[in-house]
Amino acid sequence: MISASKKLSCTKCFRISGILLFVGAVFSFCTVFDSLIGTATSPVIFIIAALILTVLAVFAYKKMSLLYVNSVRQFFVAFSAVLCTFSLLFFTDSSKSLIWIIAFVCIAYFFRGCFELEITEKLSTLCFVLSVFFSLLIFLGSQLAEYERLEFLYLPYKSMQQIFLPFSRLSYLIFLIYVLLAKILSSALNTKQCTAVCEPEGNTNYVLLFLACTAIIIICWLPYYIAFYPGVISEDSLSEVLQQLGKEPLSNHHPIIHQFFIGLCLKAADTLTAGVGLFSIVQMLFLASAFSAVIVFLKKQGVKRLVLCAVLVVYALYPVNAFFSITMWKDVPFAATSVFLCILLLNETDEKGKKGFLRAVLFVAAAFGFCTFRNNGFYAFVFGMVLIIVFNRTNRKRLALLSIITVCAVVGYQHVLFDTLGFAKSNISEALSVPIQQVARVVNIDGIDDGDENIAVLREVFPDLEQTAENYTPTFADPVKGNPKRGYALFDAEVFSNEPVRYIKSWAGLGLEHPVNYIEAFLLQSYGYWYPDINENIVGSYIIGNDLGLKSTESFETLKSALFLNSEAFIRHQPTAILGSIGFLVWVMLICAVLLCLKGHGHTASVLFCMLGLWLTTLLSPVYCEYRYIYGLIAVVPLFAAITYSKENKRGSF
């Protein structure tokens, strides 16, 4: 440990967080007082409640010895924390407030004496910056979820409760998250060599290990395949099937490469049902092999068996993986190629990683799949590879060459092949979901001003602006686009494509006139990807109605019901519901990246730039929270969590 380190309780950021906590307590005090007096409650009751809180604060913190050694400061911090907790219990939904209190008690007990930890000022500052960032995300997300707008921006407020309670929560969160991060990061960096790493065994049969892991995962997923045979088919899936049967024109709205594999399976089987069932088997094997490749890679890195078993359990038993493996979505093979791409990138950016022609071919193949199984994958790949090459000194020329080959292959595939065969390209309105939503929010909230020059220009691409305003849904862009397949369109993509610069200028001009609406529209359209307290429907368990005679088996109804209900309970109920939160898993990846950099493994963390590109492009998607859209990132969370935990700390301290 370097000499510049000091106890956490002595750092400037810790003192700042304590001040913020006290400010939050003052806000809570004002809120409680206003509420009690406003409901004609006797002031005597309020005084008694304050005395009870004081006694509880002294008792709790004397027993736990949590904060400052100085008794006066310890009392104020203790009292502030308990008062904040009380206000959260008093003014929030009972189920969520209970979680707040449980979290507070657990943190208080778990971090007993943690402020005696030795920590550098730099690390303390980093923890504080991250805590402010995460707390702001929670603060903004909670406002959007509750009010569908940033309520704190709209004055005047009706009561002190509306003024103080949001800021009480924010300051309280900053303190708690700061403490949590300080403990996690300082503990992770406290030792130079992590005990999770050992020397790889020279006699390991990696082929056998791969096959064994694949078999274990498939066995765990097999009940889902049997119960829901031939698979899960949504509206998007049915459209792909219809295109392969020639009942709809081919379009790259659903990637052609995905439809190609669907078509192969349908042609290889005698019946449509058998063809879908065959596709489900192939997809299960592909996804399971990607997860097994993670185990093999980690084993080659010298990760111990306990960590390997934990990763295998997560991949095999997490119910979302099982359901997705039998669901005909492009996002599933995209997730598998994301895993393969990350493994190959980790090898390419490692000085000790094996190189060669075969690995180069595998890299291009995985990168090609990453770019083509989802339309935003190409942009995520280009964004990520540029940053990886810039920030990574190892193997730059080889990475640049492989990236160029991949980009050329994808461009040739998408333009030359599509133009030759006459495939329709995806609608540009998909990429314009956020701008469309921003215009729709302005006309919905502030009305239509026909005297505005920008509105007059935008009417050319929004032929029925009144209907656009009426159809506006803050978290879903499709209603304001209309449905060209059914004969009506509220956004004319063809007109926009003729003069995009002109309409972009009008869109920007409207944004300068209504900046708050534009900001809120973007946040509402994307907050499910960064706010952790969102848990929407993730898995499906049915085949959508159709005229093809395609339907799920009517056998095993008991098994089917049990699997679905248990999966829903796992995803939606605390504490496992956090594993179904996109925002939380994105936070985990960010913390992994920070820890890898602090440990001196920036080249490993740089691989996550591709995942960052995927996340950024997903923010522009038409749905505010769609688990499958970001499944490629979620699939690699166990890989990077294991690597982060297992990597040695080269720097010793930060």
Side-chain angles (χ1 to χ4, degrees):
M1 193 67 63
I2 60 177
S3 58
S5 64
K6 56 179 71 175
K7 291 182 179 179
L8 181 60
S9 58
C10 298
T11 63
K12 292 180 181 179
C13 288
F14 179 74
R15 295 177 185 276
I16 293 172
S17 69
I19 292 172
L20 287 173
L21 178 63
F22 181 72
V23 170
V26 173
F27 288 157
S28 297
F29 179 88
C30 295
T31 304
V32 173
F33 182 80
D34 175 68
S35 179
L36 292 175
I37 299 303
T39 54
T41 304
S42 170
V44 176
I45 302 284
F46 172 75
I47 294 171
I48 293 173
L51 290 174
I52 292 174
L53 286 171
T54 303
V55 172
L56 288 174
V58 173
F59 175 79
Y61 281 86
K62 275 189 175 181
K63 290 293 183 183
M64 295 179 181
S65 302
L66 179 62
L67 296 172
Y68 295 95
V69 176
N70 183 291
S71 59
V72 176
R73 287 183 294 179
Q74 180 177 347
F75 167 77
F76 276 111
V77 175
F79 180 77
S80 301
V82 173
L83 190 56
C84 285
T85 303
F86 176 77
S87 71
L88 289 166
L89 171 64
F90 198 82
F91 293 107
T92 57
D93 177 74
S94 59
S95 61
K96 291 187 178 181
S97 62
L98 180 61
I99 295 171
W100 277 101
I101 294 176
I102 292 173
F104 171 75
V105 173
C106 290
I107 290 172
Y109 179 78
F110 184 71
F111 295 128
R112 259 180 93 174
C114 72
F115 300 122
E116 298 301 311
L117 289 173
E118 296 291 327
I119 188 172
T120 64
E121 193 73 55
K122 286 184 178 180
L123 183 58
S124 177
T125 303
L126 175 62
C127 293
F128 183 75
V129 171
L130 287 175
S131 70
V132 172
F133 175 68
F134 288 143
S135 299
L136 283 173
L137 292 184
I138 294 177
F139 175 70
L140 295 175
S142 62
Q143 292 266 303
L144 297 170
E146 187 172 356
Y147 303 107
E148 290 193 339
R149 68 178 188 176
L150 299 177
E151 185 69 14
F152 70 94
L153 294 176
Y154 296 86
L155 296 172
Y157 290 88
K158 295 180 181 179
S159 68
M160 294 172 69
Q161 176 183 336
Q162 289 176 292
I163 297 174
F164 292 130
L165 187 59
F167 296 100
S168 171
R169 293 175 182 175
L170 177 61
S171 57
Y172 183 45
L173 279 169
I174 291 173
F175 176 79
L176 286 183
I177 296 177
Y178 170 75
V179 171
L180 180 65
L181 288 174
K183 176 64 177 179
I184 292 174
L185 297 185
S186 61
S187 298
L189 300 172
N190 194 39
T191 56
K192 187 173 183 179
Q193 176 73 33
C194 180
T195 56
V197 177
C198 66
E199 290 298 323
E201 298 178 12
N203 59 351
T204 301
N205 188 326
Y206 292 111
V207 174
L208 184 60
L209 176 63
F210 174 82
L211 294 176
C213 291
T214 303
I216 291 171
I217 293 172
I218 291 296
I219 290 171
C220 292
W221 294 350
L222 199 57
Y224 295 82
Y225 178 76
I226 294 172
F228 297 98
Y229 179 85
V232 177
I233 304 291
S234 69
E235 184 176 0
D236 285 349
S237 312
L238 182 62
S239 177
E240 293 188 81
V241 171
L242 291 173
Q243 289 183 50
Q244 289 304 302
L245 295 177
K247 297 181 181 296
E248 287 186 3
L250 288 172
S251 168
N252 195 48
H253 178 73
H254 303 296
I256 294 296
I257 188 173
H258 188 236
Q259 295 186 48
F260 172 75
F261 286 110
I262 293 174
L264 285 180
C265 292
L266 296 182
K267 292 175 182 177
D270 296 333
T271 64
L272 182 59
T273 299
V276 174
L278 176 61
F279 177 83
S280 296
I281 292 176
V282 173
Q283 184 169 263
M284 287 172 67
L285 289 170
F286 187 38
L287 189 61
S289 65
F291 293 159
S292 299
V294 171
I295 307 297
V296 173
F297 175 79
L298 292 175
K299 180 63 177 176
K300 290 181 177 180
Q301 295 294 306
V303 177
K304 281 190 174 179
R305 291 180 182 177
L306 182 61
V307 179
L308 297 179
C309 289
V311 173
L312 180 60
V313 167
V314 170
Y315 279 138
L317 298 184
Y318 184 42
V320 173
N321 293 334
F323 267 108
F324 276 21
S325 72
I326 59 169
T327 303
M328 189 182 285
W329 279 335
K330 57 183 176 289
D331 313 273
V332 181
F334 175 79
T337 56
S338 299
V339 172
F340 284 123
L341 178 62
C342 285
I343 291 173
L344 291 163
L345 272 172
L346 287 169
N347 177 75
E348 292 291 339
T349 55
D350 188 352
E351 292 181 356
K352 299 178 181 179
K354 294 181 180 179
K355 312 298 187 292
F357 179 75
L358 178 59
R359 291 181 184 274
V361 172
L362 292 174
F363 178 90
V364 172
F368 183 85
F370 184 82
C371 294
T372 54
F373 273 117
R374 278 197 62 85
N375 292 327
N376 63 324
F378 177 74
Y379 305 103
F381 176 77
V382 172
F383 170 86
M385 290 308 301
V386 168
L387 292 179
I388 289 172
I389 293 169
V390 169
F391 288 97
N392 203 312
R393 297 180 180 178
T394 303
N395 209 21
R396 278 183 175 175
K397 291 182 179 180
R398 178 180 167 93
L399 284 171
L401 178 60
L402 294 177
S403 300
I404 292 171
I405 293 173
T406 302
V407 169
C408 291
V410 173
V411 170
Y413 160 79
Q414 290 183 337
H415 293 281
V416 177
L417 182 62
F418 285 10
D419 293 341
T420 301
L421 299 180
F423 294 146
K425 298 179 181 178
S426 57
N427 196 315
I428 194 174
S429 64
E430 290 294 303
L432 298 176
S433 294
V434 170
I436 291 172
Q437 284 286 81
Q438 290 171 326
V439 173
R441 184 172 182 84
V442 168
V443 298
N444 177 271
I445 301 295
D446 294 336
I448 301 173
D449 181 7
D450 286 321
D452 190 320
E453 183 179 347
N454 294 312
I455 290 290
V457 173
L458 290 172
R459 273 192 179 276
E460 298 174 15
V461 289
F462 292 93
D464 191 345
L465 205 55
E466 289 75 14
Q467 188 65 40
T468 298
E470 185 177 333
N471 282 18
Y472 173 66
T473 304
T475 57
F476 188 35
D478 284 359
V480 296
K481 298 175 188 175
N483 193 330
K485 288 184 179 180
R486 297 178 182 176
Y488 74 96
L490 296 178
F491 176 78
D492 197 325
E494 185 176 347
V495 171
F496 176 86
S497 299
N498 293 333
E499 294 183 275
V501 175
R502 179 167 177 258
Y503 299 117
I504 289 173
K505 285 182 178 179
S506 296
W507 163 79
L510 189 65
L512 293 175
E513 298 170 6
H514 305 270
V516 174
N517 283 334
Y518 266 41
I519 292 171
E520 288 179 333
F522 170 71
L523 294 177
L524 283 164
Q525 190 62 35
S526 62
Y527 77 98
Y529 298 108
W530 47 264
Y531 175 52
D533 194 18
I534 296 292
N535 207 281
E536 293 294 306
N537 293 328
I538 296 178
V539 300
S541 60
Y542 60 89
I543 293 179
I544 194 169
N546 59 87
D547 299 326
L548 304 175
L550 188 61
K551 60 181 181 178
S552 182
T553 178
E554 297 179 357
S555 305
F556 308 106
E557 288 297 326
T558 303
L559 176 61
K560 184 184 300 184
S561 177
L563 290 174
F564 182 72
L565 292 177
N566 289 334
S567 298
E568 282 286 293
F570 183 90
I571 295 167
R572 291 187 175 278
H573 297 165
Q574 299 294 344
T576 54
I578 199 70
L579 298 177
S581 166
I582 297 172
F584 172 75
L585 295 173
V586 169
W587 287 21
V588 169
M589 292 294 273
L590 175 58
I591 293 173
C592 286
V594 170
L595 269 174
L596 285 169
C597 291
L598 294 180
K599 287 184 173 185
H601 297 277
H603 64 282
T604 302
S606 69
V607 173
L608 288 171
F609 279 128
C610 283
M611 295 300 105
L612 174 62
L614 174 62
W615 180 74
L616 289 174
T617 53
T618 305
L619 295 181
L620 306 178
S621 67
V623 186
Y624 88 113
C625 180
E626 187 67 42
Y627 194 92
R628 67 187 179 102
Y629 287 0
I630 203 75
Y631 187 49
L633 183 151
I634 293 169
V636 301
V637 169
L639 167 63
F640 281 95
I643 289 174
T644 304
Y645 175 71
S646 302
K647 285 287 187 182
E648 64 176 353
N649 182 10
K650 293 180 178 180
R651 295 178 176 175
S653 180
F654 177 70

